Amino acid sequence: MALKCVKCGLRLPPYPPKSKCEKCGGTLEYKISLPKNHKIKFSGKLHFWRYINLLPPVQHIVSLGEGGTPLHKAERLAEKIGLRELYLKDETRNPTNSFRDRAAALLTSNAIDLKHDTLICATNGNLGASLAAYSAKAGLICHVIVPKLVDVGKLAQMLIYDAVIEEFGETVDDSIHRAEALANETGWYQATAELNPLVIEAQKTIAYEVYEQFGVPDWFIVSMGGGGTVYSILKGFKELKQLGTIKPLPKMIGVQPEGCAPIVKTLVEKSSEPIKIAKPSTRALAVLVANPLQSELAIKAIKESKGLTLMISDSKIFTAELQIAKLEGMFAEPASSATIAALEKLVKKGKIRKNDSVVCLITGSGLKATDILQALTKKQKTAVLGLEISTKEKILRILSKKDTYGYDLWKKLGKIMTRGAIYQHLNELSERGLITGYAKNGRKFFRITKRGRKALRAIDDLKLLL
Ligand SMILES: [Zn+2]
């Protein structure tokens, strides 16, 4: 297994893992060197190291039990979308709840083989969380450079696993430059995804697993940040083809959020230079990358597999996240929920047909993300507010027909809340001048005021809008 330049063909020994060709600046990648039609037989438990023969050489293995994640048949989601066969590759089931644990296992193993004691990584979150955990396990020092916006759950993981965290830059693009400079200065092991070709090797094992669990799907949908993942999945399938194990390849679909879609734009606008996004914005922080360094690789994978790319709005991503959770019991992070939103769009457009088989890559857990928690709290608040309005409205409607007292109102409202809550509402309605109280037969009766009737009419008018 050697490193080979994709541009000029220069061959280098596998280690140290370098990302750029010294001669022409092209991307370096690993080439497996098994003879054609070599009958590869995977053996042992379904987990990451099952594929060690198809990875660059490893001596010391660092493992927390990564890989071997389930491939769920998503029947309810498929029915909703109008598809026969949909599978979710559930990478949230890795040790730190993201697909990056595969990369962290290989990188920390390699760092130890190469006698490093410190590694550095620029990250949007998942890889940092993974490396922090694996470094802890291996007794390595882990430096993490993160941009301003990072999902809180991922940051919490880096903290608890005792990584050295530095905040640098607006987006991860800046953090990558910082990590590159620091590694050059210090000689630390470079573990940034875009700067170490072992990451692609680690992530390609997802393709091997899907092949073993299902076979080759017609379509494979992946969200894109730096651009490496979509490439690594296709690379895995291509190697299986090279070995004579499979024939057709899956068509790769790369998805990006509307507010940050440099790869989609480069491809759609047929730009010769990769397009950079000046003011990127999305709540899917895992794919907030303005100037993806592996854009070329992503485009190559999409073109070569006759796949396609598309953009998805943040609101569609959020809806998809709720759907995956409600219909399949899986809590996916926003970036990977975009794959389901994309699938829905493509099925509607007829680009993906009912009988096509599809795999969506669920890269990480929604529990790590900041946005969903915020969005859900907001949603809950509006729901509670809605309930309050409706109780007050109901009280006004009852009183608009006939004056009555608190206990009677409580019965009429179906006794679903405490009597205390009813009196609270009555007090608030009185304070606002919508009702007024008076004593009759030793009881406190309530009557709707002119203003109260006006409010009811306003609610009716408002309902015309809904
Ligand atoms: Zn070269």
Side-chain angles (χ1 to χ4, degrees), residues 6 12 26 95 133 187 197 228 248 253 260 262 299 301 346 352 363 366 384 432:
V6 295
L12 290 169
I253 299 175
C260 186
I299 289 171
L346 291 168
I352 293 181
T363 46
V384 170
R432 288 168 209 175

Side-chain angles (χ1 to χ4, degrees), residues 154-218:
K154 297 170 189 171
L155 204 56
Q157 287 178 302
M158 294 178 226
L159 280 167
I160 195 79
Y161 297 130
D162 204 23
V164 184
I165 305 168
E166 182 189 336
E167 188 197 296
F168 189 91
E170 287 295 313
T171 62
V172 76
D173 308 87
D174 304 325
S175 322
I176 292 173
H177 292 306
R178 171 87 179 138
E180 201 170 14
L182 268 173
N184 287 339
E185 224 173 84
T186 57
W188 290 340
Y189 184 87
Q190 181 57 262
T192 303
E194 287 83 351
L195 303 176
N196 190 323
L198 281 177
V199 173
I200 283 178
E201 296 307 295
Q203 306 301 166
K204 77 181 181 186
T205 57
I206 295 172
Y208 300 159
E209 283 182 18
V210 168
Y211 158 69
E212 291 205 87
Q213 291 167 314
F214 165 73
V216 183
D218 296 311

